[in-house]
Amino acid sequence: MALDSPRDGSLLSFRVLRLSKPQINLTAPERVDLARDVREGGTLSPLIPESRSEFVPEEAFARRVECRHPADLFGVDGSIELARDIGEVYLGETISCYASLGNYSNQVVSLVDIKAEMQSERSRSYLFQNSTPLPGMAPGVKRDFTIKFDVKELGSHTLICTSQYTSQDGDRKICPQYFRFSASSPLSLRTKVRPVAGDIFLEACLENAKSGPLILEYVRFDPSKAYTVASVDQHPESITSGPLKDYINSLKIVQPNKGTRNFLFKFSPTESTSSSVESASADERGVLGKMEIKWKGALGEIGRLQTQLIKTGGSSGQKDIQGQVIKMNDSVPIFDPFEVTVRIRNTTVRALGPLSLVLKPANNMKAEEMPVLMDGLQSILLNTLPPHKSCDVACKMIAVQPGVHTINGFSVIHQTDGFGFGSIDPVQIFVDDVTG
């Protein structure tokens, strides 16, 4: 962690250490390098005397060429090392820290209050606070405690450790210290939604952004009330031989540095899909659900992530309702009624309705400024559209301004809550100034 020094004159100071599993100490694998092991300009013969027992090679040459043990070639010397700083922090992890408040002065302080809190770009939470003040801390005395927090946001985080005490002069002092780090995303998730024969298939691709491998404990989907979900098993990657073949094949490993693993889910509408959609709010319409992912790192560290709501058309860009003008005259006389036929199609796997087709002003235009209006009823009621079905709607219209105009205000809305399914593709029409 980056540490801000305590304020000048502060008698107490915090030290913070992340509690993490030790790492294996790796060095560069040993290899023969003549440019390094043989003196510049020399050859091997001058270095090797006639009696090999009298030859005492240089340390670099001895470690590389005359290995005392086969393990010297692997760069692993059997030692482990503790983290020197907070290291890499990823979203979904649980971070544990060991904090120590010490009196590094030559004065005695009294009534010591300790508080630790975590501040991110959008939230602030308290992690530790002593219930009663410490009576006193003599020089050299330390007070240790542990803190734990879940990383739920990306970006900059600041651990604020604050001590409040009374000095020998009777002054009440407050001394905050700041430990900063940044959290990044360990996984990148890409999804693609495909409707197939009344069902929906969701392809999910997980990409490992960490420098170490991830072992997936589970990847599951919590569907909305309108769907049931099933995971479509795929043939896992396998090794050909070895005593640990079955065990290794059972692990869902995502290799480091942008390694990927793919999953496939099948969504089927429930029997009560129509009634569920009718009772759902506009924000819940067309939602598949959330994906939850839990994994372990190379040394058993646990991480967990939950995605935002995944929608039926969010990944493919397809609208729930599509509309298109399929029949209209290219030219119409002014003030003479004419007919436009609009085809409305339900692209989802659930029934949608009841619906209405309306013509609204577009591009900040006022209603009285519209060049083409609906003649008669301003809203046409439609029946409930079954999944993947369409209907043709005949609209009576009238033009009130001459010239070439664009009709781009057709919209389909839900009659119950007014939810809009988007506008219909615009069309152009020429209005002749001569009445028919």
Side-chain angles (χ1 to χ4, degrees), residues 380-391:
I380 302 177
L381 303 183
L382 309 178
N383 295 326
T384 298
L385 274 179
H388 300 292
K389 298 296 182 180
S390 61
C391 67

Side-chain angles (χ1 to χ4, degrees), residues 38-58:
V38 180
R39 291 186 179 92
E40 184 178 358
T43 61
L44 285 175
S45 55
L47 296 176
I48 304 178
E50 296 180 358
S51 176
R52 187 174 181 83
S53 60
E54 299 176 0
F55 173 54
V56 181
E58 297 181 3

Side-chain angles (χ1 to χ4, degrees), residues 253-265:
I253 301 177
V254 187
Q255 298 297 334
N257 301 322
K258 297 186 178 181
T260 59
R261 197 173 184 93
N262 299 300
F263 299 87
L264 184 63
F265 298 93

Side-chain angles (χ1 to χ4, degrees), residues 12-13 15 98-104 114 134 136-145:
L12 305 181
S13 179
R15 296 291 184 268
Y98 179 87
S100 176
L101 176 64
N103 185 353
Y104 299 98
I114 304 174
L134 300 178
M137 292 183 65
V141 174
K142 297 180 181 179
R143 172 68 168 87
D144 303 332
F145 58 96

Side-chain angles (χ1 to χ4, degrees), residues 199-219:
D199 295 325
I200 294 180
F201 285 86
L202 173 70
E203 303 175 37
C205 178
L206 286 178
E207 182 179 291
N208 183 6
K210 300 181 67 173
S211 57
L214 296 179
I215 301 177
L216 299 177
E217 190 166 317
Y218 63 77
V219 176

Side-chain angles (χ1 to χ4, degrees), residues 80-99:
I80 57 177
E81 60 181 0
L82 296 175
R84 299 180 181 179
D85 51 27
I86 195 170
E88 298 176 335
V89 177
Y90 293 99
L91 184 68
E93 291 183 339
T94 299
I95 305 297
S96 299
C97 293
Y98 179 87

Side-chain angles (χ1 to χ4, degrees), residues 192-420:
K192 183 179 293 185
V193 179
R194 297 180 182 271
V196 178
D199 295 325
I200 294 180
F201 285 86
L202 173 70
E203 303 175 37
C205 178
L206 286 178
E207 182 179 291
N208 183 6
K210 300 181 67 173
S211 57
L214 296 179
I215 301 177
L216 299 177
E217 190 166 317
Y218 63 77
V219 176
R220 68 188 183 196
F221 207 103
D222 297 327
S224 63
K225 57 185 178 181
Y227 297 96
T228 59
V229 63
S231 177
V232 180
D233 293 333
Q234 304 178 73
H235 297 290
E237 299 178 359
S238 60
I239 59 178
T240 56
S241 62
L244 299 178
K245 174 183 176 181
D246 295 337
Y247 172 72
I248 294 177
N249 290 340
S250 66
L251 300 177
K252 298 179 181 179
I253 301 177
V254 187
Q255 298 297 334
N257 301 322
K258 297 186 178 181
T260 59
R261 197 173 184 93
N262 299 300
F263 299 87
L264 184 63
F265 298 93
K266 177 184 177 182
F267 294 83
S268 301
T270 60
E271 296 180 357
S272 57
T273 296
S274 298
S275 60
S276 299
V277 171
E278 294 300 329
S279 61
S281 65
D283 292 337
E284 296 173 339
R285 197 180 310 277
V287 172
L288 291 177
K290 295 181 179 181
M291 184 181 294
E292 186 173 336
I293 307 163
K294 186 176 181 180
W295 70 88
K296 290 184 179 179
L299 294 177
E301 56 272 21
I302 297 176
R304 176 181 172 273
L305 280 180
Q306 189 178 66
T307 67
Q308 296 180 345
L309 290 175
I310 299 178
K311 299 184 178 181
T312 55
S315 298
S316 62
Q318 187 181 49
K319 298 179 181 179
D320 290 349
I321 293 290
Q322 291 182 344
Q324 182 182 11
V325 176
I326 62 173
K327 184 178 180 182
M328 185 187 70
N329 294 332
D330 294 334
S331 176
V332 296
I334 191 171
F335 301 125
D336 276 5
F338 62 95
E339 188 174 278
V340 175
T341 303
V342 180
R343 177 164 294 171
I344 307 297
R345 178 175 175 80
N346 179 5
T347 64
T348 70
V349 296
R350 65 188 189 280
L352 295 178
L355 306 173
S356 296
L357 179 64
V358 298
L359 182 65
K360 297 181 178 180
N363 301 326
N364 299 322
M365 183 183 296
K366 297 180 181 180
E368 57 271 17
E369 298 175 349
M370 295 176 62
V372 181
L373 307 171
M374 295 186 72
D375 186 19
L377 295 177
Q378 301 300 300
S379 176
I380 302 177
L381 303 183
L382 309 178
N383 295 326
T384 298
L385 274 179
H388 300 292
K389 298 296 182 180
S390 61
C391 67
D392 295 341
V393 184
C395 305
K396 295 292 185 179
M397 308 193 71
I398 186 171
V400 296
Q401 295 181 20
V404 178
H405 300 291
T406 300
I407 305 176
N408 58 357
F410 276 121
S411 300
V412 179
I413 63 174
H414 198 280
Q415 294 182 25
T416 304
D417 54 15
F419 175 78

